[in-house]
Amino acid sequence: MKSFYGTTLANPLMLGTAQYPSPAILEQAFRESGAGVATVSLRRESGAGQAFWQMIRDLGVLVLPNTAGCHTVKEAVTTAHMAREVFDTKWIKLELIGHTDSLQPDVFQLVEAARILTSDGFQVFPYTTDDLIVGERLLAAGCEVLMPWGAPIGSGRGLNNEYALRAMRAEFPDVPLVIDAGIGLPSHAAHAMELGYDAVLLNTAVARAGDPVLMARAMARAIEAGQLAHQADPIEARDMAEPSTPVIGKAFLS
């Protein structure tokens, strides 16, 4: 199991903290999921107050602050520095949005912000596309983790481009990779782990479900199943049938 800047996660599920019906349901969902990391935006912490931060600390999970909603390098860097002060961690999930409708990352500014933050001592988790060249640039900028999107944030579409995600896993075999955004169903999360990804980050699929606590439990089991399936070395898909019963020794009647 790969480590994230020297930290090995007990559970490869990273769970967001926004949009839950209530703080109590958020807490229950986290406990059911067994998630090892909570992603938290600086603005949410500011709005919810000390009680929210105390609840997150009581969960006993690692905190990954994010720069959600930032559209410029300056804005993202400033937000990251503020988050480090508030949450007392070098970790930062770097979001730098370039397209309003799809919330697609602005990969040009993303690389620049990653370079600046890395030089400032941050351990950057960049929310990026599934582009291999962008991945290379982020690693060259000092990132040790890549977080490609499965689909647009909150869309619930799953893994839109499996080919690209497979290519990224093959291109960067030693880099921790996290599917971030687009997960809507437990089957999506399981599939991400089956492809050999090291973790899944999701929020909306749990927080906006009819029963967030039950969905959190389902996601946890799906991720475990996908991880085990990958470790088991599954069979390759075939175009032709292959009998499961051997034909050797079978009697042939003329």
Side-chain angles (χ1 to χ4, degrees), residues 73-155:
V73 171
K74 182 178 180 180
E75 189 179 9
V77 169
T78 300
T79 302
H81 278 274
M82 293 172 65
R84 183 163 62 180
E85 292 295 323
V86 171
F87 299 110
D88 190 26
T89 178
K90 295 180 180 179
W91 282 15
I92 189 72
K93 177 189 170 185
L94 180 59
E95 287 187 34
L96 223 164
I97 301 302
H99 191 266
T100 303
D101 293 333
S102 68
L103 301 181
Q104 180 169 330
D106 182 332
V107 296
F108 304 101
Q109 293 196 89
L110 183 68
V111 172
E112 176 63 14
R115 183 189 63 76
I116 294 171
L117 290 174
T118 298
S119 67
D120 287 343
F122 285 89
Q123 296 173 333
V124 179
F125 292 67
Y127 166 60
T128 183
T129 63
D130 48 28
D131 187 284
L132 297 182
I133 305 304
V134 175
E136 289 178 349
R137 296 291 188 272
L138 288 167
L139 295 174
C143 298
E144 297 180 15
V145 176
L146 296 175
M147 303 179 72
W149 65 348
I153 294 172
S155 68

Side-chain angles (χ1 to χ4, degrees), residues 238-242:
R238 294 168 51 92
D239 292 328
M240 300 293 292
E242 181 180 7

Side-chain angles (χ1 to χ4, degrees), residues 138-227:
L138 288 167
L139 295 174
C143 298
E144 297 180 15
V145 176
L146 296 175
M147 303 179 72
W149 65 348
I153 294 172
S155 68
R157 296 181 60 86
L159 308 185
N160 267 356
N161 193 340
E162 182 180 332
Y163 170 81
L165 294 173
R166 285 184 181 273
M168 181 166 275
R169 178 70 285 174
E171 182 71 15
F172 307 116
D174 300 322
V175 176
L177 299 181
V178 182
I179 292 293
D180 180 8
I183 297 297
L185 295 170
S187 57
H188 300 157
H191 192 33
M193 300 304 292
E194 289 167 0
L195 293 180
Y197 277 71
D198 302 292
V200 171
L201 193 158
L202 56 90
N203 187 168
T204 307
V206 169
R208 298 292 295 276
D211 187 333
V213 177
L214 190 60
M215 184 59 78
R217 187 190 310 166
M219 287 293 183
R221 293 181 180 180
I223 287 174
E224 181 182 12
Q227 187 177 42

